[in-house]
Amino acid sequence: MAAELVACLPALCRALDRRVDREFPHPKPPEAQLALLRLVHTQDGVTVREAADALLMRPNNVSALVTQMVGLGLLERRPDPADKRIAHLHPTALARQRVTEVDRLMSAHLTEVLRALTDGELDALGSAVGSLHSVNRLLHARTD
């Protein structure tokens, strides 16, 4: 089962990315940027260190990613009032719009595909989603 998941999940993501790439009217942000944008979108004001921990990335890699994204107008880096060495990350209006648009396209494509599944397949997939969340939590916990 582990080998099947390792093969299936990235292939699913690539297929979805290709569909979105064809319809997204802007250059689609790379997956690392999307992951950071989604995190900052849900945890407005997160620090680089907190983002690195949440995304299982090195802080220097997140910092470089933030610098790129600030340059692209997707993120704002605001200094902490108490400690100027710490920066808090905030999505720009452009970032919120792009993430919402990408997520809407992804959801639309998945919804279309899900409509083609049988009731039994949908039930099995619904059960699997909860299990996948558990696997994700356990994998994150083991990297700490």
Side-chain angles (χ1 to χ4, degrees), residues 52 57 68-69 72 74 82 88 90-91 96 110 116 124-125 134 140:
M57 295 176 67
Q68 291 173 353
M69 294 169 70
L72 293 169
L74 298 172
H88 295 274
H90 302 274
R96 289 182 192 278
L110 280 175
L125 193 53
S134 295
H140 271 74

Side-chain angles (χ1 to χ4, degrees), residues 35-121:
L36 181 56
L37 286 174
R38 285 183 180 117
L39 178 71
V40 173
H41 184 77
T42 59
Q43 296 181 35
D44 198 9
V46 67
T47 66
V48 169
R49 165 67 71 189
E50 292 164 342
D53 289 346
L55 297 173
L56 303 178
M57 295 176 67
R58 290 192 170 104
N60 61 325
N61 291 342
V62 173
S63 183
L65 197 57
V66 168
T67 299
Q68 291 173 353
M69 294 169 70
V70 166
L72 293 169
L74 298 172
L75 285 180
E76 293 177 8
R77 185 185 296 152
R78 298 181 197 156
D80 186 278
D83 187 346
K84 301 294 183 201
R85 296 170 297 170
I86 298 173
H88 295 274
L89 307 176
H90 302 274
T92 63
L94 175 63
R96 289 182 192 278
Q97 173 197 356
R98 299 269 169 95
V99 167
T100 299
E101 198 170 344
V102 167
D103 288 348
R104 184 190 58 75
L105 282 169
M106 287 183 168
S107 291
H109 288 300
L110 280 175
T111 298
E112 177 186 330
V113 170
L114 291 174
R115 285 189 184 120
L117 297 180
T118 67
D119 287 343
E121 289 170 323

Side-chain angles (χ1 to χ4, degrees), residues 10 46 54 61 116 127 137 144:
V46 67
N61 291 342
S127 296
R137 277 191 309 277
D144 292 340

